Amino acid sequence: MKIRRFSATAFAAALLIPGLAACNGNGTSDASATPSASGSVAPSASASNSAAKQALLDSTNAIRDGNFRFAMTGAGSTAEGQVHEPSQSAEMKMTIGDPSSDLMMKLDLIHAKPDSWVKLELGGTAAAQIPGVKNINTGKYQHLDQNRIKGNRSLGFDFSKVDPAGSAILTQGVTEVRQTGEGAYEGTVDVSKAAEAGSLDPAVITALGAQAQSVPFTAKVDPQGRLSELVLKIPAAGQSAAQDVKITYSDYGSAAAATKPPADQVVEAPPELYNLFN
């Protein structure tokens, strides 16, 4: 049985840009601008869209600094944690499903370079069928062999790619965006490349078909223009019902370093755990 990575999609949101008239270096109106009803000059729709998309691209810059907290919800799953690049540490707590589901998973993953630990709880009616489940459900943190999780996107963490949602990649796919209020945006995005970002199950993207090219989203930014919230409105596709997928970022520059688990709460990860995620 294979457990997929948490399927929450996140996109970068917008840096607030006032709807001012576009001017050239001489202070005269740009040729692409059109007069408004009041006689002032307003940007064209294409110019506004271009400026807003650039704002989206720029709003991911603070994420790359690697010092923030995040949360994701969607498809019956939740995740939250922090990234603290200054200490080369990160933590994510995740829940997929619930005890009434066929399979429920709770995962607490801690990285403190060069080590990683995971505490895993598997439940639900199908949990008993997982080979070696008793060796996995120990209630303790299991120390991970870095050679065995190299390249594994579920258990590994790459400090050169600190955003769990891949917002910078996803923002490149924005096809339409407009400002709806102070620090608020909405538009559509092509999620066909979201699998590369690691934030959306490839099976969902395939099931969406042509709909993947224009998925609606809304976004908010904080007063400094940094992404604070993004909601993706995924339409129904295949066997999946329509759903909202939400991601938030907070505590830019002030996230805490992850805490290593106490030594008396640590055991070495058994082969069954690696097999579960491979």
Side-chain angles (χ1 to χ4, degrees):
M1 181 178 294
K2 181 178 181 181
I3 306 297
R4 288 193 179 274
R5 192 182 182 209
F6 175 67
S7 298
T9 301
F11 298 86
L15 174 67
L16 176 62
I17 293 183
L20 300 178
C23 297
N24 62 23
N26 297 323
T28 58
S29 299
D30 184 88
S32 65
T34 56
S36 68
S38 63
S40 61
V41 179
S44 66
S46 61
S48 296
N49 186 71
S50 177
K53 182 172 181 178
Q54 186 59 51
L56 289 171
L57 297 172
D58 293 344
S59 70
T60 65
N61 293 340
I63 298 173
R64 290 198 295 270
D65 291 339
N67 191 333
F68 57 86
R69 290 192 58 81
F70 66 92
M72 296 184 280
T73 60
S77 304
T78 62
E80 63 178 359
Q82 73 253 26
V83 176
H84 192 255
E85 198 279 338
S87 64
Q88 294 280 278
S89 69
E91 181 173 10
M92 180 166 66
K93 294 184 178 181
M94 180 192 309
T95 300
I96 299 177
D98 56 62
S100 64
S101 306
D102 289 342
L103 184 63
M104 178 272 293
M105 180 175 74
K106 290 184 177 181
L107 179 148
D108 185 352
L109 185 60
I110 299 174
H111 301 281
K113 198 172 183 179
D115 292 302
S116 299
W117 303 263
V118 62
K119 182 164 66 173
L120 190 63
E121 177 188 345
L122 298 173
T125 56
Q129 302 174 27
I130 298 175
V133 66
K134 291 183 179 180
N135 293 332
I136 296 172
N137 282 351
T138 63
K140 292 190 174 184
Y141 287 91
Q142 299 180 346
H143 182 256
L144 299 170
D145 181 340
Q146 296 300 300
N147 291 324
R148 299 188 69 170
I149 66 171
K150 189 175 183 180
N152 187 309
R153 300 177 75 177
S154 296
L155 295 177
F157 191 86
D158 185 351
F159 282 95
S160 68
K161 300 175 182 179
V162 297
D163 183 9
S167 296
I169 295 174
L170 294 167
T171 305
Q172 296 289 339
V174 169
T175 54
E176 179 186 353
V177 59
R178 54 198 169 275
Q179 186 174 350
T180 59
E182 185 174 351
Y185 290 77
E186 66 178 22
T188 57
V189 62
D190 182 350
V191 300
S192 60
K193 294 184 179 180
E196 181 184 349
S199 53
L200 189 65
D201 192 329
V204 173
I205 299 173
T206 299
L208 284 171
Q211 294 183 97
Q213 299 176 14
S214 57
V215 172
F217 75 90
T218 61
K220 295 179 182 179
V221 300
D222 66 13
Q224 287 73 43
R226 304 169 300 193
L227 172 64
S228 60
E229 176 187 293
L230 183 134
V231 179
L232 242 201
K233 298 183 179 298
I234 306 293
Q239 298 181 351
S240 300
Q243 60 177 294
D244 285 354
V245 176
K246 179 180 178 181
I247 182 168
T248 62
Y249 293 90
S250 62
D251 294 348
Y252 284 103
S254 60
T259 302
K260 298 179 181 180
D264 62 355
Q265 292 296 311
V266 173
V267 296
E268 288 298 318
E272 291 87 350
L273 185 136
Y274 298 108
N275 293 338
L276 182 67
F277 286 91
N278 289 330

